[in-house]
Amino acid sequence: MRRLYPFDPLFKHHLIIALLLAIWVFVFLYFSEPLDVNQFNANEKLLFLPGYGLLGGLCYLIFVPFQYFLYSKNNAKWTIISELVFLFSFCFVSVVVARIFYLFVVVPNEPNPYTLGYMLKAIYFPAIITILPIILISRFAFGKYHDKRLDDQKIEIKGEGNYEGLRLQLNDLICVKSSDNYIEVYYLSGTYLKKTLIRNKLSVIDEDFEELQRTHRSFLINPYHFQQWKINNGKHILLLSHVIEVPVSKTYLTDVKSVIELTTN
């Protein structure tokens, strides 16, 4: 089983990380003065070193969409492998960009610039070792914070047994169907549709969660997942996410239409 790793989808948090990264790159180069940096005068340091920091921050922001791509390709799950792929890709591109900046901005007319191998050993690897913990700690902290907020927002559908129940985000819940002495809960896990059988009554769930709408004596729906109306042999049917069809009885038709209209507007 793949081990999950904290994931933060909020761009504003990654913007903060990019800013911290830019500042830290500047501070690291300014005070450690590796190779060519120790040959700069005070004005040259203030001219070139912020450029390295800015490029580091921009490289990180450019890779945020790549992170979202990996997340979606992995069925809305973020693993340790995903984190390592992201960080390795970011570090590789950052080294390439820093090398280009060095050759074409810092020493554009220098006949004998430092070789890539020498700079990797003397500057880039030490810089990565110093800077990477800042990125790791920031990403992990923001990811844990986001996970905690999501967990605090979860609803719990309880069963009659001591160990029965289901915790999930409200927007992941699609519908609940009565099934004898049980209820069938249809919900999303990432991008997959799942169903869990819980020993409870539909009337209890209806009382516990006013966000859900009764459509039939055997169904409760989450209006958030409404797709379209259908009429089959004069009977109204709601089409929900993942092509789930739910009947709407005449008793609840007016209320359902009002709720759907409010939700879609």
Side-chain angles (χ1 to χ4, degrees):
M1 183 178 178
R2 294 173 298 178
R3 188 173 180 181
L4 296 182
Y5 192 85
F7 177 80
D8 182 16
L10 300 180
F11 182 78
K12 64 180 181 180
H13 290 166
H14 293 291
L15 191 61
I16 294 173
I17 294 175
L19 180 60
L20 291 174
L21 176 61
I23 294 172
W24 186 245
V25 169
F26 169 75
V27 170
F28 170 78
L29 292 177
Y30 189 89
F31 289 102
S32 65
E33 296 188 332
L35 293 180
D36 55 318
V37 174
N38 59 23
Q39 300 176 21
F40 293 162
N41 58 42
N43 291 333
E44 288 175 328
K45 285 184 179 180
L46 295 177
L47 177 65
F48 295 123
L49 300 190
Y52 279 112
L54 181 62
L55 286 175
L58 287 176
C59 281
Y60 182 84
L61 288 180
I62 290 172
F63 264 82
V64 172
F66 176 63
Q67 170 182 259
Y68 298 152
F69 170 77
L70 289 177
Y71 183 70
S72 62
K73 291 290 287 184
N74 204 24
N75 299 313
K77 289 182 174 61
W78 194 253
T79 65
I80 293 177
I81 298 299
S82 304
E83 185 74 4
L84 292 176
V85 169
F86 172 84
L87 292 173
F88 176 82
S89 303
F90 161 71
C91 290
F92 177 80
V93 171
S94 296
V95 167
V96 172
V97 171
R99 177 65 176 176
I100 293 173
F101 182 76
Y102 168 73
L103 291 176
F104 294 98
V105 177
V106 179
V107 290
N109 299 313
E110 174 62 45
N112 297 304
Y114 292 113
T115 65
L116 176 59
Y118 191 58
M119 292 193 75
L120 283 172
K121 179 180 178 181
I123 297 182
Y124 299 143
F125 285 160
I128 288 173
I129 292 173
T130 304
I131 295 167
L132 201 56
I134 302 297
I135 301 175
L136 281 169
I137 293 171
S138 300
R139 286 175 58 82
F140 185 84
F142 278 128
K144 293 295 286 185
Y145 171 74
H146 181 72
D147 285 350
K148 186 179 184 305
R149 287 193 62 188
L150 288 180
D151 192 64
D152 291 342
Q153 295 168 3
K154 285 182 178 180
I155 62 171
E156 183 176 6
I157 300 177
K158 297 180 180 179
E160 294 180 351
N162 292 332
Y163 301 103
E164 287 184 286
L166 178 67
R167 281 178 56 83
L168 74 169
Q169 295 293 322
L170 177 62
N171 285 346
D172 288 336
L173 175 61
I174 299 177
C175 66
V176 184
K177 178 183 178 182
S178 177
S179 179
D180 295 327
N181 295 323
Y182 292 82
I183 54 172
E184 297 175 4
V185 183
Y186 293 82
Y187 63 100
L188 297 177
S189 178
T191 57
Y192 291 108
L193 174 67
K194 290 194 173 184
K195 181 179 76 172
T196 294
L197 196 65
I198 299 175
R199 186 171 51 181
N200 208 330
K201 297 177 181 178
L202 195 68
S203 58
V204 174
I205 306 303
D206 192 10
E207 291 177 1
D208 288 346
F209 302 103
E210 61 181 16
E211 302 92 344
L212 304 181
Q213 175 62 42
R214 193 74 169 254
T215 66
H216 187 272
R217 61 185 177 87
S218 299
F219 280 94
L220 285 170
I221 69 156
N222 183 351
Y224 175 81
H225 288 280
F226 167 78
Q227 298 292 311
Q228 66 181 60
W229 285 96
K230 292 178 64 176
I231 297 180
N232 188 4
N233 296 325
K235 296 181 179 180
H236 288 79
I237 296 173
L238 281 178
L239 184 65
L240 306 178
S241 301
H242 285 261
V243 201
I244 297 176
E245 294 187 353
V246 174
V248 181
S249 64
K250 293 181 180 180
T251 304
Y252 302 103
L253 182 59
T254 301
D255 290 341
V256 172
K257 285 184 175 180
S258 297
V259 169
I260 293 299
E261 184 176 352
L262 286 173
T263 304
T264 54
N265 290 336

